[in-house]
Amino acid sequence: MNDRPNRPHGRPSRPADRNRTPRPRPAGRPFGAWPDDVAILYGWHSVVEALRNPRRKFRRLLATENAARRLEEEAIPLKIAPEIVRPGEIDRQLDPDAVHQGLLAECDPLPVLSLAKAAECDLLLVLDQITDPHNVGAIVRSAAALKVGAIVTTARHSPAATGVLAKSASGGLEHVPFCFVGNLARALDELKERGVQVVGLDSEGPADLVDTTLSAPAALVLGAEGKGLRQLTRQTCDTLARIDLPGAIISLNVSNAAVLALYIARRAVGGRD
């Protein structure tokens, strides 16, 4: 009789597996399964920008001795007394490849904007089912750098503003509010009714974005990498525009395309002061 535990097909055991001790995690709280009402921030820039943000409410702050000393040396305002822990205590609460730099915070999610308020901004970014948190985080960072007033996306088919996304945004979450909608096409129609020019980025757009007349308020709409804009989204935009590139590579990762498009749009609509 074979009393060894069954293993999934295609994953044979290795001798080293028998001696390897699994890394413990907090009971019932593996990364990616934190409660919906908790935003997890880790890494120096993400946590420090949150500490500087008066709208961000902290529940808990874990810091290693080195990180706590650096917070004090750089006079970072502390909203809550940090719990001094060893690096391994933070390691156990995050994915193995997470670079936390000695800081982990549990916070309330930031307030979200209504679509009506978002429409008052001179430059908006709309994300059409971009689901990769690394890409969305990088986009948020670029949006913060280029003074985007809000990011509009669907409540479903979008990553939570926490964890990997927050780390990739490198503090950008504290500067660009999100607006979550139930139906993107209807939201775009409402933006247009409120006077927002809605421009979709599409490789088959009739003109280069540089040559497209943009005026505030404007919204750039980006689709998921590979899939692009969904058909109804494309039809709802006021116009479509492409980004022409002079080099041998004629397509960009969606986060790179976002920063280039936002730079072009920011120059066009003004408001760089």
Side-chain angles (χ1 to χ4, degrees), residues 12-258:
S13 63
R14 294 177 297 173
D17 288 344
R18 290 194 292 269
N19 301 320
R20 186 172 60 187
T21 302
R23 191 175 70 176
R25 291 182 179 272
R29 300 180 71 186
F31 189 77
W34 299 80
D36 290 340
D37 66 341
V38 176
I40 302 302
L41 307 177
Y42 62 88
W44 179 260
H45 293 294
S46 298
V47 174
V48 166
E49 286 300 305
L51 286 167
R52 289 172 170 156
N53 182 1
R55 298 179 302 125
R56 180 70 85 171
K57 295 182 179 179
F58 277 66
R59 301 184 183 187
R60 192 181 183 204
L61 176 61
L62 303 184
T64 61
E65 288 185 1
N66 288 341
R69 187 180 307 113
R70 184 179 174 189
L71 289 172
E72 183 178 0
E73 290 172 351
E74 298 191 17
I76 305 300
L78 295 180
K79 302 179 178 183
I80 187 174
E83 301 173 34
I84 306 302
V85 298
R86 293 182 179 276
E89 176 63 22
I90 300 178
D91 290 340
R92 284 192 290 272
Q93 302 192 48
L94 298 174
D95 281 345
D97 59 349
V99 181
H100 56 73
Q101 298 168 293
L103 290 175
L104 170 67
E106 296 180 25
C107 305
D108 288 354
L110 287 169
V112 297
L113 280 189
S114 67
L115 193 62
K117 276 291 185 184
E120 297 175 2
C121 304
D122 67 342
L123 182 59
L124 299 173
L125 183 60
V126 181
L127 306 182
D128 185 13
Q129 294 194 353
I130 300 177
T131 57
D132 182 81
H134 293 93
N135 276 335
V136 176
I139 289 169
V140 171
R141 184 177 185 180
S142 298
L146 288 158
K147 205 177 177 182
V148 168
I151 294 175
V152 179
T153 189
T154 52
R156 296 180 61 189
H157 305 295
S158 61
T162 183
V164 172
L165 188 157
K167 181 66 166 65
S168 299
S170 194
L173 277 178
E174 312 305 317
H175 303 284
V176 187
F178 272 79
C179 169
F180 294 104
V181 299
N183 183 288
L184 194 63
R186 283 201 294 266
L188 294 179
D189 277 334
E190 183 175 337
L191 288 176
K192 292 194 294 183
E193 290 170 3
R194 294 178 178 274
V196 179
Q197 180 188 11
V198 177
V199 179
L201 287 184
D202 189 277
S203 60
E204 298 180 1
D208 190 339
L209 183 62
V210 172
D211 300 320
T212 301
T213 301
L214 299 175
S215 59
L220 289 182
V221 189
L222 275 70
E225 191 161 349
K227 298 179 181 178
L229 300 176
R230 289 176 294 164
Q231 184 63 29
L232 186 55
T233 304
R234 295 173 85 254
Q235 293 172 354
T236 310
C237 292
D238 286 316
T239 188
L240 300 174
R242 63 182 188 269
I243 297 178
D244 289 336
L245 300 171
I249 303 235
I250 59 173
S251 64
L252 294 172
N253 170 283
V254 66
S255 61
N256 292 329

